């Protein structure tokens, strides 16, 4: 039950967006789509039915997140948009969320399922916002990370959240200040990275209850969630390896694979966007969402020292900012050797 609550709580604060419904705008119809930086994230979440724009037809990527609309999103993720729409709004879950409020049904569901608890003063604050670190903490919970075991509370929680979120890939292809309020499109990118991130679970451990009645789990081992079912290869077809680096018949289970089994991502296809750039191609229920080039980790628009004759290899690496990377040609590239150089849309041999 605790893992379920962590998953739900992880997304309760996510996006100040509205779940898609009949007649809702598609990404291609957003009037301000040219202003959206993370188009892949917004387009995919839109197609899944998680987010849509405003009634005026725009998306407002720089808008802040709110807690109320996020409750609608989490319920739609857990029970589906249609069932979420049918929830009654006749009860007041919190003093500041009266019966009849557009979000009352969703917030009531979350409260009754112990997904949320509100604030110490008894309010929910549906128009409240959250920081990037707080949002990342919740997304880690969605992936199965235990807040108590990982010490996501108390002094220094932001450091621990940041470290694990980075390792899990939540910060891939993104730039934001975790201490500031997250805007709508940044939240979409964080959520997309969560769809691609591997879920975790804990084994072993001992439950200890202190004299004040507080309980905690100690000595638990965190491990990746795996499956030998085909759905576990829909987003990432990475096979699990043992200590001897031998592959078995189990794939890692990514969040999107677990919760959206009709979602597919053709991972980092080369030459798939028409410009020779590695790209991700997404589809849902056998309908293509789009093909999106992967942002380069390093770009150069002027000559650097690596082009100068007689320069040492070490100096070239430092000048290019590639310390810790191994540059290889496309034919040599593997999952463990992925660093490549592309020039004007064409790969350059390492």
């Amino acid at each position: 039950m605790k893992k379920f609550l962590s998953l739900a709580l992880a997304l309760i604060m996510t996006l100040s967006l509205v779940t898609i419904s009949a007649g809702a705008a598609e990404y291609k119809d957003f009037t301000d789509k040219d202003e959206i930086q993370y188009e892949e994230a917004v387009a995919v979440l839109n197609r899944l039915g998680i987010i849509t724009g405003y009634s005026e037809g725009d998306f407002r990527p720089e808008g802040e997140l709110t807690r109320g609309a996020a409750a609608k999103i989490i319920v739609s993720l857990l029970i589906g948009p249609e069932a979420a729409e049918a929830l009654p709004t006749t009860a007041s879950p919190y003093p500041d969320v009266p019966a009849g409020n557009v979000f009352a049904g969703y917030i009531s569901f979350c409260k009754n399922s112990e997904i949320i608890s509100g604030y110490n003063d008894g309010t929910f604050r549906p128009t409240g916002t959250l920081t990037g670190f707080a949002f990342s903490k919740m997304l880690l919970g969605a992936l199965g990370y235990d807040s108590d075991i990982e010490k996501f509370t108390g002094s220094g929680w932001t450091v621990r959240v940041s470290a694990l979120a980075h390792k899990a890939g939540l910060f891939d292809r993104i730039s934001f200040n975790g201490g500031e309020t997250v805007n709508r499109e940044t939240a979409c990118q964080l959520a997309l990275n969560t769809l691609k991130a591997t879920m975790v679970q804990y084994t072993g451990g001992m439950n200890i209850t202190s004299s004040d009645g507080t309980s905690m789990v100690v000595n638990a081992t965190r491990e990746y969630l795996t499956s030998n079912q085909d759905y576990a290869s829909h987003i990432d077809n990475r096979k699990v390896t043992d200590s001897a680096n031998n592959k078995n018949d189990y794939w890692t289970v990514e969040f999107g694979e677990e919760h959206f089994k009709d979602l597919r991502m053709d991972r980092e296809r080369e030459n798939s966007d028409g410009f020779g750039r590695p790209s991700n191609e997404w589809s849902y229920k056998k309908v293509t969402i789009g093909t999106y080039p992967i942002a380069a980790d390093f770009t150069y628009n002027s000559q650097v020292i690596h082009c100068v004759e007689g320069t040492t290899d070490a100096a070239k690496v430092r000048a290019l900012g590639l310390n810790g990377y191994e540059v290889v040609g496309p034919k040599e590239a593997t999952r463990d050797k992925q660093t490549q150089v592309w020039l004007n849309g064409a790969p350059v041999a390492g």
Side-chain angles (χ1 to χ4, degrees):
M1 182 64 177
K2 186 175 183 179
K3 295 295 186 297
F4 170 81
L5 297 181
S6 294
L7 170 91
L9 178 60
L11 293 176
I12 188 62
M13 301 290 199
T14 37
L15 320 173
S16 62
L17 314 175
V18 184
T19 306
I20 251 183
S21 58
E26 296 182 13
Y27 172 79
K28 65 181 179 62
D29 297 322
F30 289 154
T31 58
D32 57 352
K33 64 177 179 294
D34 291 341
E35 301 174 18
I36 298 174
Q37 178 182 0
Y38 303 121
E39 60 174 343
E40 177 181 2
V42 177
V44 171
L45 293 179
N46 175 260
R47 178 64 183 86
L48 290 177
I50 306 302
I51 60 97
T52 185
Y54 289 89
S55 58
E56 291 84 354
D58 55 350
F59 176 72
R60 306 177 194 175
E62 296 296 325
E64 294 182 337
L65 311 183
T66 66
R67 291 161 50 89
K72 182 176 182 180
I73 294 171
I74 189 59
V75 176
S76 298
L77 286 169
L78 292 173
I79 66 176
E82 294 80 9
E85 288 283 350
L87 290 172
T89 61
T90 54
S92 173
Y94 292 94
D96 57 343
V97 185
N101 182 284
V102 66
F103 296 118
Y106 311 113
I107 295 172
S108 293
F109 179 96
C110 293
K111 181 180 180 181
N112 293 334
S113 301
E114 300 181 22
I115 298 169
I116 59 174
S117 58
Y119 287 89
N120 292 334
D121 63 1
T123 64
F124 178 72
R125 305 178 193 175
T127 61
T129 61
L130 72 164
T131 67
F133 287 136
F135 180 56
S136 299
K137 171 184 174 180
M138 295 166 188
L139 291 175
L140 287 172
L143 290 167
Y145 290 87
D146 188 284
S147 180
D148 294 331
I149 295 175
E150 304 295 349
K151 297 181 173 60
F152 287 166
T153 59
S155 177
W157 72 269
T158 57
V159 175
R160 290 185 284 273
V161 164
S162 180
L164 275 181
H166 177 76
K167 184 176 181 180
L170 299 193
F171 299 159
D172 287 355
R173 319 292 177 181
I174 197 172
S175 175
F176 79 113
N177 185 332
E180 295 180 350
T181 298
V182 184
N183 65 31
R184 290 157 57 85
E185 69 167 349
T186 299
C188 284
Q189 184 64 46
L190 287 167
L192 182 74
N193 289 341
T194 301
L195 287 172
K196 298 187 292 182
T198 305
M199 300 187 68
V200 300
Q201 60 185 0
Y202 295 84
T203 59
M206 180 181 300
N207 195 309
I208 299 178
T209 302
S210 63
S211 58
D212 63 359
T214 303
S215 63
M216 62 182 297
V217 177
V218 297
N219 299 326
T221 301
R222 177 180 4 107
E223 59 185 26
Y224 287 132
L225 186 65
T226 63
S227 174
N228 62 351
Q229 301 299 306
D230 287 344
Y231 78 87
S233 64
H234 290 174
I235 291 178
D236 192 337
N237 60 1
R238 178 161 55 103
K239 290 291 184 94
V240 181
T241 59
D242 58 23
S243 58
N245 204 35
N246 296 315
K247 292 183 178 180
N248 61 26
D249 292 329
Y250 287 76
W251 291 283
T252 57
V253 177
E254 279 59 59
F255 184 88
E257 294 169 346
E258 177 72 12
H259 296 279
F260 298 94
K261 290 184 171 58
D262 292 320
L263 181 65
R264 304 285 194 280
M265 184 185 78
D266 194 342
R267 192 180 185 87
E268 301 190 2
R269 298 179 58 203
E270 292 185 7
N271 303 316
S272 60
D273 76 333
F275 292 94
R277 296 174 294 185
S279 303
N280 291 331
E281 182 178 271
W282 290 88
S283 63
Y284 184 56
K285 295 184 177 180
K286 299 183 179 180
V287 176
T288 299
I289 300 173
T291 301
Y292 306 93
I294 300 170
D297 294 303
F298 303 92
T299 58
Y300 309 93
N301 54 20
S302 62
Q303 179 173 318
V304 290
I305 194 171
H306 81 284
C307 298
V308 179
E309 184 177 355
T311 303
T312 65
D313 288 343
K316 295 176 183 179
V317 169
R318 286 195 299 271
L320 290 167
L322 294 175
N323 287 314
Y325 292 84
E326 182 178 358
V327 180
V328 299
K331 292 183 179 179
E332 302 173 83
T334 65
R335 185 172 183 84
D336 298 323
K337 286 185 173 184
Q338 294 188 19
T339 306
Q340 299 182 38
V341 175
W342 292 65
L343 178 62
N344 297 327
V348 178

